[in-house]
Amino acid sequence: MMRGKFITYWYQLIFISSICQFLFASVAHSEGNTIRYQTKEEDAPGTVIGNLAKDMSLSLSRSSKSNFRMMKQFNDSFIRVRESDGELAVGERIDRERICRHTPQCLITFDVVNFSKDRYKLIHVEVEVKDTNDNSPEFPNKESVVEISENAAVGSRIPLDPAVDADVGSNYIQSYQISVNSHFTIDVLQRADGVKYAELVLMKELDRETQSSYTVELVATDGGNPHRSGSTKITIKVTDFNDNSPVFDQNSFSVSLPEDAPTGTVILDLNAVDADEGSNGEVVYGFGKQVSNEIRELFQVDNKSGRLTLRSPVDFEDKSTYELDVQATDLGPNPTPAVCKIIIHVTDVNDNAPEISITPMTSISTGVAYISEAADKDSLVALISTMDRDSGENSQVHCTLFGHDHFKLRQAYEDSYMIVTAAALDRERISEYNLTVMAEDFGSPPLRRITQYTIRLSDENDNAPHFTQAVYEVSVVENNAPGAYITTVEASDADLDNNGKITYRLVDSVIMGSPMNTFVSLNSVSGSIYALRSFNYEVMKHLDIHIQATDGGSPQLQSATVIRLKIVDQNDNQPSIIEPPLYKGSAEVLLPKDAPAGYVVTQIKATDADEGTNAQLSYKITEGGHLGFSINKETGKVHVSRQLTYDLTDNVKVTVSVSDNGLPALTSTAIIHLSFIEGTLPSLPSFSQNGSEELFEWDMSIAIIIVLAGSCSLLLLAIILITTICSRRKKETKERGYGKETVRPITIWKGNSFTTISARDPHISGKDSGKGDSDFNDSDSDISGDVHKKESPPINSLWACTSECKVLGHSDRCWSPSATRPNMSLACGPHLSMFSKTASLPRDTRRENYYPAHITKTNGLQSVYEQVQHQELDYILVGPPTPNLLNFPDCLPAYQLSKKCGSVCFQATARHI
């Protein structure tokens, strides 16, 4: 179309300050529509041209302020589009002659995008600017002079300078008139380029001698309403006769000239001949007076040769046709020139590469289009307008898009394309696309234009904050200070600005009846967590803290994580003794005074509120362990560690400590008061069922224990043998006829001899005097586990073997097992004794209070010593008055065994023997 050849295009980029997300709604393929309007040039700004919404029956979206968007192209802002309803109005005064020059049809074209719900429609708008007769015809000169020979034939023509009128159509020059005269008239013609001009025509022969000059007025009138006109004054001079004039080979020529022809190209070789001789026949060439300065700048004719050449490059896109007159004149007086009309047609050459203009839908910087990452497929990103100033195939342009398959081109109209999305976009994966737009014409060879264009994705809040873990394991030691730092959680958000700005908060929850925010505090910006109170492991072992991270987008997105806070136990609780029940740190435990070694006195039971190693308890006797008791450090069972020799009135105090395994260890103590009772043992000594529990705390090796146990077994057999022999002799004595039972004399060992006393004498004591002859474990050297000795209760039954020990002259404190003990393990049993038991002798009150003697003993025999040194038994001897060694021959083996077992009774026997 010719309209594009003379349009001056003005380039302008529109900067859109705000990104409207709805501009990128998902659409199906939308067919374009073309609508045409007309407006007059010189209309005042604001003059309404039309309304797209009404004229195309388009529905408006009430939810959006913008329904129409003008896409600027190769034009200035002559037209404005109201975004709300698509009203078109004059933006600035339009001068048709400036933007379209002599083009018959002047069009301003642009595209408008209409948005409706989830679709868009591209509207191609063409506004024709109608010409207004605002320009009058004008001649190049107000006055001009032409010459004509007096012998010129009637009908001779002289071309005149044409008038110029910037208007077109009916507003252009329609006619020429010449003032009334007797010899001349005019003929109105039209050049190849459409310009109308007049030629002066001779109507009557001239006579120079009669009149040498004529003056006429030439008027040019246009067809406007009202019409306008312009005039020039022409002086016609009549020259003297020159009988021959030059003659051209042809009176007119039409030639073609490629627009890329170089300067100096020969266009035409003109030739004119004059029949005269001499100077009258010498011909020179030149442009006619009516040839414009524009032509004189582009072309030149050689004065002598008549060769027409190109003086300056021509441009088809500026003007495609030139018409000029070349005159041939001889050098004689009063020459009459010959005129040759030359029409030069400039042919188009593909010398213009296509031009590209890209108008983005949204942009805040030149050369960059913005589109939301949430835009769906086929969303409009930018409009590409192309233009090629060439004509024909040379002006036809094809566009191609390179760079990424997420975008594609779609042709909108003949010379415009749309960049649309071809796939879903993700700014977090690709935030910017550098695309290449190539426009190529169909000329030969084709010319192309390449433009780089950037598309940046605007961020949408499509990413929720992300924690690296769904559950975090964090530990804090109990008894922490309030305000102590616990940990910091951190979430990331791939979005930008407010969409990626994260704030943290505690999820409301109730723990043990209290809100979570009373236990910990959370910095909403940094995510740091602090304790608001001191944690107690014994009250709370763990705490689940739910934290929510929220971004600043709209709508907001959020995610959550759990901080599993583990309270780490500290050794902050002492063991608590629960058995036996304590009163002011003490407990009283009853113990049969005849309890054997291994007997379980009691079991200390304790608890510790801590856990793990902090609650691993061990038991220990800290005071009183030498009194005949031991404790299992793991179970807390208190055992009798040796044979006890305490009276019923004795009270033994043992201090037991319970320690945990913490660092540092915490300890609780209890004082166990042991009171002795008379009676039958409730059960056998308690031993561990699994063999892992220790009965004693041994100080020597197990091998020594086994040897001592075997020795004691041999001692037991010897005692049984002696008892059997003694009983037999007693029976034989009775059979010899002791008759009725009378008060028999009592023979006791006194010092180193026997003394016979009466059994009825209440003042006689079976105890020794305690003066000088005391030996180990006699009444003078008795050892007790208590500092203050109490009066012993009456003894109901005593074994004769204990009296036997007395007969041997030793202490009155000999050990004797209980009569109810089913299995005898020491000296003798009730059915083996050869002595009879009588009443107890009065106790020596001087010995009620005493301190125990400190006797060094070997470890192996310690338990045996301790078993016998705490019994307080008074016995009398009923038997023959004169004991001697021969009376106890069977006791010798027992004496020998007593050295190994440490029996006080037999040691004493050996000493006195």
Side-chain angles (χ1 to χ4, degrees):
M1 296 177 63
M2 293 296 295
R3 72 176 187 274
K5 305 308 173 182
F6 300 98
I7 298 178
T8 299
Y9 292 93
W10 301 82
Y11 300 89
Q12 183 175 7
L13 293 176
I14 302 300
F15 301 96
I16 303 174
S17 59
S18 61
I19 299 176
C20 302
Q21 178 177 344
F22 68 89
L23 297 179
F24 305 104
S26 174
V27 298
H29 178 69
S30 177
E31 295 294 338
N33 294 272
T34 300
I35 186 168
R36 293 178 175 83
Y37 293 97
Q38 290 183 349
T39 187
K40 293 182 179 180
E41 67 169 332
E42 305 296 340
D43 279 346
T47 302
V48 177
I49 299 174
N51 189 290
L52 294 176
K54 293 180 180 179
D55 297 339
M56 299 191 68
S57 301
L58 300 175
S59 60
L60 302 180
S61 174
R62 297 182 179 179
S63 61
S64 174
K65 295 182 180 180
S66 177
N67 291 278
F68 295 88
R69 178 66 54 80
M70 183 177 182
M71 308 297 289
K72 295 293 182 181
Q73 297 172 29
F74 299 99
N75 54 70
D76 206 346
S77 55
F78 294 115
I79 309 296
R80 294 179 181 175
V81 178
R82 190 160 64 186
E83 293 186 351
S84 59
D85 58 359
E87 180 184 88
L88 304 180
V90 175
E92 64 181 39
R93 189 176 298 275
I94 303 174
D95 185 357
R96 183 188 182 281
E97 288 72 35
R98 182 169 66 89
I99 63 175
C100 295
R101 299 184 67 182
H102 297 285
T103 305
Q105 186 180 39
C106 184
L107 295 177
I108 297 177
T109 61
F110 54 90
D111 293 306
V112 176
V113 178
N114 166 243
F115 302 97
S116 177
K117 295 182 180 179
D118 59 345
R119 296 179 59 84
Y120 74 83
K121 180 179 291 185
L122 188 65
I123 305 171
H124 189 66
V125 181
E126 296 180 352
V127 178
E128 182 180 4
V129 181
K130 289 294 185 179
D131 183 48
T132 300
N133 192 24
D134 55 346
N135 293 280
S136 298
E138 292 184 2
F139 285 93
N141 301 299
K142 293 297 183 180
E143 294 182 2
S144 60
V145 177
V146 296
E147 294 180 350
I148 185 171
S149 175
E150 63 176 337
N151 64 341
V154 175
S156 297
R157 292 173 175 266
I158 300 175
L160 301 177
D161 291 336
V164 177
D165 193 337
D167 295 325
V168 295
S170 62
N171 294 327
Y172 183 65
I173 299 171
Q174 299 297 318
S175 63
Y176 287 90
Q177 291 87 29
I178 190 172
S179 60
V180 177
N181 62 87
S182 58
H183 287 77
F184 298 95
T185 186
I186 59 172
D187 185 16
V188 179
L189 302 174
Q190 183 172 341
R191 293 190 326 208
D193 57 2
V195 176
K196 288 184 178 182
Y197 65 99
E199 288 185 346
L200 188 65
V201 179
L202 181 61
M203 297 171 54
K204 184 179 179 181
E205 293 182 353
L206 298 173
D207 185 359
R208 179 179 176 278
E209 286 71 23
T210 303
Q211 186 173 352
S212 63
S213 66
Y214 299 88
T215 301
V216 297
E217 183 182 22
L218 181 64
V219 179
T221 305
D222 62 27
N225 187 17
H227 64 267
R228 293 173 176 267
S229 62
S231 62
T232 183
K233 183 179 179 180
I234 301 175
T235 299
I236 305 171
K237 289 185 177 183
V238 179
T239 62
D240 192 17
F241 173 73
N242 188 348
D243 56 349
N244 288 298
S245 298
V247 177
F248 282 98
D249 295 341
Q250 286 182 232
N251 291 331
S252 63
F253 291 93
S254 178
V255 296
S256 296
L257 177 66
E259 62 173 329
D260 62 345
T263 301
T265 299
V266 176
I267 299 174
L268 194 65
D269 280 328
L270 297 175
N271 183 38
V273 178
D274 192 324
D276 295 331
E277 293 183 355
S279 59
N280 292 335
E282 188 176 349
V283 178
V284 294
Y285 303 89
F287 288 119
K289 294 183 179 179
Q290 75 280 6
V291 174
S292 64
N293 291 331
E294 177 188 11
I295 293 177
R296 293 176 184 271
E297 291 177 357
L298 294 175
F299 306 99
Q300 66 181 4
V301 59
D302 187 83
N303 184 36
K304 292 183 178 181
S305 66
R307 178 173 294 173
L308 181 66
T309 59
L310 182 65
R311 183 177 184 180
S312 298
V314 292
D315 189 352
F316 174 85
E317 288 70 39
D318 289 340
K319 193 172 184 180
S320 60
T321 303
Y322 297 92
E323 185 173 326
L324 51 93
D325 293 336
V326 176
Q327 292 181 346
T329 306
D330 60 34
L331 297 178
N334 302 318
T336 300
V339 177
C340 179
K341 186 178 295 296
I342 301 172
I343 299 175
I344 301 174
H345 299 281
V346 180
T347 59
D348 183 42
V349 175
N350 192 26
D351 59 343
N352 293 281
E355 296 181 15
I356 300 174
S357 173
I358 302 178
T359 305
M361 288 299 299
T362 56
S363 178
I364 57 177
S365 59
T366 304
V368 179
Y370 285 82
I371 183 172
S372 170
E373 64 172 327
D376 292 330
K377 186 179 179 181
D378 292 325
S379 295
L380 177 61
V381 180
L383 184 69
I384 299 177
S385 299
T386 62
M387 185 189 71
D388 196 316
R389 299 180 62 200
D390 297 322
S391 62
E393 289 186 351
N394 295 333
S395 66
Q396 296 178 10
V397 178
H398 174 70
C399 263
T400 309
L401 183 67
F402 302 96
H404 207 284
D405 56 3
H406 281 179
F407 298 91
K408 64 182 178 180
L409 280 182
R410 178 180 295 165
Q411 188 166 10
Y413 297 98
E414 180 181 355
D415 54 358
S416 61
Y417 296 82
M418 295 181 293
I419 301 178
V420 297
T421 58
L425 307 175
D426 186 359
R427 187 202 65 82
E428 288 71 36
R429 191 170 63 88
I430 303 177
S431 61
E432 181 175 294
Y433 296 85
N434 293 313
L435 304 180
T436 300
V437 179
M438 184 182 73
E440 187 177 55
D441 60 29
F442 288 90
S444 180
L447 298 180
R448 63 174 62 98
R449 175 95 48 170
I450 296 175
T451 300
Q452 303 293 328
Y453 202 74
T454 299
I455 298 177
R456 292 176 184 166
L457 301 187
S458 58
D459 185 50
E460 294 294 332
N461 192 26
D462 56 348
N463 290 278
H466 174 69
F467 288 98
T468 56
Q469 293 179 250
V471 178
Y472 293 85
E473 299 284 347
V474 180
S475 298
V476 61
V477 179
E478 66 170 331
N479 304 321
N480 59 283
Y485 170 80
I486 297 177
T487 188
T488 297
V489 295
E490 184 176 359
S492 59
D493 195 317
D495 296 322
L496 297 177
D497 301 327
N498 285 336
N499 294 334
K501 185 178 181 180
I502 299 175
T503 55
Y504 304 90
R505 75 174 187 90
L506 290 173
V507 178
D508 295 334
S509 60
V510 177
I511 305 296
M512 301 176 61
S514 299
M516 175 60 71
N517 57 14
T518 63
F519 289 88
V520 295
S521 67
L522 173 66
N523 188 307
S524 61
V525 177
S526 66
S528 297
I529 304 172
Y530 301 89
L532 292 181
R533 60 173 66 182
S534 180
F535 295 110
N536 188 347
Y537 175 82
E538 288 70 39
V539 176
M540 178 187 297
K541 291 180 174 54
H542 70 273
L543 180 66
D544 285 347
I545 306 171
H546 294 265
I547 296 177
Q548 187 179 79
T550 305
D551 60 28
S554 180
Q556 292 181 326
L557 299 179
Q558 58 193 19
S559 62
T561 189
V562 177
I563 305 298
R564 187 147 294 162
L565 184 61
K566 179 181 179 182
I567 313 301
V568 179
D569 183 39
Q570 272 191 325
N571 193 26
D572 58 344
N573 291 279
Q574 289 182 326
S576 176
I577 299 175
I578 58 175
E579 288 186 14
L582 301 181
Y583 177 72
K584 294 184 179 181
S586 300
E588 184 175 1
V589 176
L590 300 178
L591 175 64
K593 69 181 185 64
D594 297 329
Y599 181 80
V600 178
V601 177
T602 186
Q603 183 174 9
I604 308 299
K605 292 184 178 180
T607 61
D608 194 316
D610 297 322
E611 285 192 359
T613 58
N614 295 330
Q616 293 178 358
L617 304 180
S618 61
Y619 301 85
K620 182 179 180 182
I621 295 179
T622 58
E623 295 181 14
H626 65 285
L627 300 178
F629 302 96
S630 63
I631 189 170
N632 187 296
K633 66 178 182 180
E634 294 181 356
T635 64
K637 290 184 178 181
V638 180
H639 301 86
V640 175
S641 61
R642 58 177 170 76
Q643 188 65 52
L644 304 178
T645 59
Y646 297 108
D647 290 336
L648 294 176
T649 58
D650 292 337
N651 188 292
V652 177
K653 181 176 67 174
V654 176
T655 302
V656 178
S657 67
V658 183
S659 301
D660 57 31
N661 199 29
L663 289 174
L666 300 180
T667 303
S668 295
T669 60
I671 299 175
I672 308 299
H673 293 279
L674 298 174
S675 298
F676 299 95
I677 62 172
E678 183 68 49
T680 303
L681 295 177
S683 63
L684 290 172
S686 177
F687 295 93
S688 174
Q689 295 179 355
N690 57 16
S692 63
E693 184 177 317
E694 294 180 22
L695 296 177
F696 306 101
E697 295 179 355
W698 300 103
D699 295 330
M700 297 185 69
S701 65
I702 299 177
I704 298 177
I705 297 174
I706 296 175
V707 171
L708 293 177
S711 302
C712 291
S713 299
L714 294 176
L715 177 61
L716 176 60
L717 294 176
I719 293 173
I720 295 174
L721 180 59
I722 294 172
T723 304
T724 303
I725 296 173
C726 291
S727 298
R728 185 179 302 166
R729 288 183 179 179
K730 182 178 179 182
K731 184 176 180 181
E732 291 175 354
T733 304
K734 288 183 179 181
E735 291 176 354
R736 290 173 185 170
Y738 272 98
K740 295 180 181 179
E741 182 179 354
T742 61
V743 178
R744 292 174 292 175
I746 300 173
T747 301
I748 63 175
W749 184 266
K750 197 68 172 176
N752 53 8
S753 64
F754 288 97
T755 303
T756 302
I757 62 173
S758 174
R760 288 191 176 96
D761 188 355
H763 303 289
I764 302 302
S765 174
K767 284 188 177 183
D768 61 19
S769 64
K771 295 181 180 180
D773 56 359
S774 298
D775 199 357
F776 174 70
N777 270 346
D778 65 5
S779 59
D780 290 336
S781 63
D782 188 31
I783 298 175
S784 175
D786 205 340
V787 176
H788 303 288
K789 200 168 187 179
K790 299 180 180 178
E791 189 70 19
S792 299
I795 300 174
N796 297 328
S797 58
L798 297 175
W799 291 115
C801 66
T802 302
S803 298
E804 178 180 335
C805 290
K806 284 188 157 190
V807 171
L808 297 178
H810 188 56
S811 172
D812 58 348
R813 302 175 184 270
C814 285
W815 177 85
S816 175
S818 174
T820 60
R821 184 169 180 176
N823 297 323
M824 299 302 295
S825 61
L826 295 173
C828 50
H831 60 288
L832 300 176
S833 178
M834 64 180 182
F835 298 99
S836 297
K837 172 174 63 114
T838 64
S840 174
L841 296 178
R843 186 181 303 272
D844 186 355
T845 57
R846 293 176 301 174
R847 303 171 64 94
E848 291 299 323
N849 297 318
Y850 69 98
Y851 291 92
H854 298 282
I855 303 174
T856 303
K857 301 179 288 294
T858 62
N859 293 335
L861 300 177
Q862 179 180 358
S863 60
V864 180
Y865 289 128
E866 291 173 348
Q867 288 175 0
V868 301
Q869 73 179 15
H870 298 293
Q871 296 297 331
E872 187 175 346
L873 302 173
D874 293 333
Y875 296 92
I876 59 176
L877 177 62
V878 180
T882 308
N884 54 51
L885 184 60
L886 298 177
N887 292 334
F888 304 98
D890 297 323
C891 286
L892 290 176
Y895 156 67
Q896 296 171 354
L897 293 174
S898 66
K899 291 183 178 179
K900 296 182 180 179
C901 296
S903 171
V904 177
C905 174
F906 296 108
Q907 283 180 353
T909 303
R911 179 174 62 83
H912 290 293
I913 293 174

